[in-house]
Amino acid sequence: MKVITTIQELQKELASYYVANQTIGLVPTMGYLHEGHQTLAKAAVAENDVVVMSDFVNPTQFGPNEDYEAYPRDLERDARIADEVGVAILFAPSVEEMYPHQGGVTFEAGPASKILCGASRPGHFNGVLQIVTKLFQIVRPTNAYFGQKDAQQLALIEMLVRDYNMPITIRPIAIVREEDGLAKSSRNVFLSETERQLAPNLYKTLQVLQRNIASFNQKKAIEQIEAATKGRVDYIELLSYPDLQPVTSEDTQVILAAALYYENVRLIDNIIFKVGE
Ligand code: AMP
């Protein structure tokens, strides 16, 4: 596996694949890889001639009081893990390489970016769409892999590709969990020991809520999650998926999505399911 840090070198490396019309899989990540990322990469390796994984903590998707500086980073470890699952190129650019110009064109995502995580992270999804668009332009992948863990992000990227006619297939990958049900996340390292023990109750409560979805009540759901996790709920919402609208009798697929604050970390989780299942 090659670790590449410049756009020029990356494109030189990919040139023969473009010419031969071969398939390129892209797995965008912020690094500090875990089994969730590996699952995305394995799917990409199975479905493409070559796989590029990006490893870049994107500053434009972090708010001023968020954890950009503290976000865990370990490129050497990431390179080992990516290599193990068959990634051919790990693209790990610097911030200067990705953003050499200031004050140019940025993205303004629509209403679906202002709810759920977007409500407490203003501008976050504009930054996500900016970096994803740049990566799509730089790599020109055939297929790009995203986790359902970040279901709102996935929905917005599907909208981006649709609205801007990008010739890329988005491949969604199911949430990978720890044995006790906690969704794997690079940020789980910020959980205290007690929080780590209680955190799986977020998913357990979502499962209980799913089983009783006909009587879903937001206020009660907040109380249930907070009692079970001892965290503070940022949101718990039941919406249609992937359009993220209030559920109507027409909708068949819905998302039950939640975010929870602990002392040094904010966790997200969700269940996407068909109504009546
Ligand atoms: P991140 O490095 O957290 O930005 O995540 C990079 C990609 O991996 C995103 O598409 C995430 O949705 C996906 N991902 C992160 N954690 C998981 C997980 N536990 N299961 C599945 N996909 C995940």
Side-chain angles (χ1 to χ4, degrees), residues 242-259:
D243 44 345
L244 302 175
Q245 299 289 320
V247 179
T248 68
S249 55
E250 309 280 287
D251 291 311
T252 50
Q253 186 166 258
V254 298
I255 183 168
L256 193 53

Side-chain angles (χ1 to χ4, degrees), residues 180 191-201 204 228-229 262:
D180 58 13
L191 290 166
S192 72
E193 218 172 291
T194 316
E195 288 170 347
R196 176 63 191 82
Q197 276 167 20
L198 291 165
N201 292 337
K204 291 200 179 95
T229 61
Y262 277 126

Side-chain angles (χ1 to χ4, degrees), residues 37-114:
H37 302 112
Q38 281 178 296
T39 305
L40 267 64
K42 280 183 196 163
V45 168
E47 295 172 1
N48 298 274
D49 295 316
V50 64
V51 172
V52 179
M53 176 183 271
S54 60
D55 188 323
F56 178 65
V57 184
N58 173 39
T60 72
Q61 70 190 68
F62 286 78
N65 299 316
E66 292 183 356
D67 56 354
Y68 173 69
E69 297 294 340
Y71 197 86
R73 294 160 168 89
D74 189 341
L75 183 59
E76 255 178 55
R77 178 172 162 274
D78 288 350
R80 261 198 324 273
I81 293 173
D83 189 27
E84 264 168 35
V85 290
V87 169
I89 299 169
L90 189 65
F91 178 52
S94 66
V95 173
E96 295 70 36
E97 179 70 8
M98 291 305 277
Y99 297 110
H101 311 290
Q102 300 290 320
V105 178
T106 50
F107 276 86
E108 178 63 39
S113 74
K114 312 270 195 283

Side-chain angles (χ1 to χ4, degrees), residues 27-40 54 56 61 71 145-151 153-154 157 171 173-178 182-188 268:
V27 184
T29 83
M30 298 207 300
Y32 214 68
L33 302 180
H34 52 68
E35 219 184 306
H37 302 112
Q38 281 178 296
T39 305
L40 267 64
S54 60
F56 178 65
Q61 70 190 68
Y71 197 86
Y145 296 76
F146 293 91
Q148 284 180 336
K149 157 99 190 315
D150 300 275
Q153 166 176 288
L154 174 60
I157 290 167
R171 302 281 290 115
I173 302 294
I175 300 179
V176 179
R177 300 179 178 281
E178 303 286 354
L182 175 64
K184 294 208 183 229
S185 165
S186 306
R187 288 190 169 99
N188 288 348
I268 57 170

